[in-house]
Amino acid sequence: MNLAQIGGEIHNKRVQAGLLQEHLAKFAGLSRVTINQLENGTLKDLGYTKLKAVMDIVGIDMETVQPSGLKSALVIAARSISTSYRDVVTPEMLSLMLRSGQAPEQFQPHLMALLDETPLPVVVKAVTEAATPDVPAKKIMKNLSLWAEQWQVCRTVW
């Protein structure tokens, strides 16, 4: 698989996850122009570390198969954000909150942990898993951005 083919697969996965090129660029520490060129097949070269960072975010490896160990990101994210709190967020609850954009007050600290501390590949995969035809991943990403702005989270990628 060449860089242009990988770029096409990255584009497909990014759109499926509801990410803008700007989001993917920030998450991977690259410029939006680099992501655009990668997706359009016009990028001449990109180092392995940078390419791997982009691919990890959208959940693909060099063979474009699902990376092992990330079977259900909603389960992993829900468990991760509930670790420090008495109230537990279930994967179903997390999915509903992501889709609705409604964050009950007792779960706002959990969602802040999702935005600030959860590995970005897990967040992106959880968004993809929570998405439905009625609430696409792009809408869920907007909900995350609104929460990040409202709560002034530390992670600046939102």
Side-chain angles (χ1 to χ4, degrees):
M1 189 174 259
N2 64 36
L3 192 57
Q5 291 170 318
I6 293 170
E9 184 66 21
I10 287 169
H11 169 80
N12 293 338
K13 294 287 189 172
R14 175 185 62 76
V15 170
Q16 181 183 14
L19 294 172
L20 299 174
Q21 287 181 343
E22 180 181 346
H23 291 137
L24 182 55
K26 285 182 181 178
F27 292 172
L30 299 171
S31 72
R32 191 203 57 80
V33 171
T34 299
I35 297 299
N36 183 280
Q37 290 174 341
L38 174 62
E39 290 184 352
N40 292 322
T42 59
L43 190 64
K44 300 295 181 208
D45 187 36
L46 186 65
Y48 174 79
T49 303
K50 292 176 182 176
L51 181 61
K52 176 93 170 89
V54 173
M55 292 173 70
D56 284 347
I57 296 296
V58 296
I60 58 176
D61 64 18
M62 289 298 179
E63 282 129 24
T64 67
V65 295
Q66 181 62 38
S68 62
L70 190 53
K71 303 297 184 215
S72 174
L74 281 168
V75 170
I76 293 167
R79 186 180 315 131
S80 172
I81 65 175
S82 296
T83 301
S84 300
Y85 303 102
R86 180 178 45 181
D87 294 324
V88 173
V89 173
T90 66
E92 295 77 20
M93 292 166 59
L94 178 58
S95 181
L96 179 61
M97 288 186 280
L98 291 173
R99 284 193 310 274
S100 70
Q102 299 297 313
E105 192 172 334
Q106 76 265 27
F107 295 122
Q108 288 179 9
H110 299 69
L111 294 169
M112 289 176 70
L114 178 77
L115 295 169
D116 264 340
E117 300 168 12
T118 305
L120 290 171
V122 174
V123 175
V124 170
K125 179 82 167 87
V127 166
T128 303
E129 289 175 10
T132 65
D134 293 335
V135 184
K138 187 174 184 177
K139 172 65 177 152
I140 295 172
M141 289 302 298
K142 286 182 182 178
N143 292 339
L144 294 177
S145 293
L146 289 171
W147 286 338
E149 183 179 332
Q150 178 182 350
W151 300 327
Q152 299 179 338
V153 298
C154 296
R155 190 182 266 169
T156 60
V157 297
W158 303 109

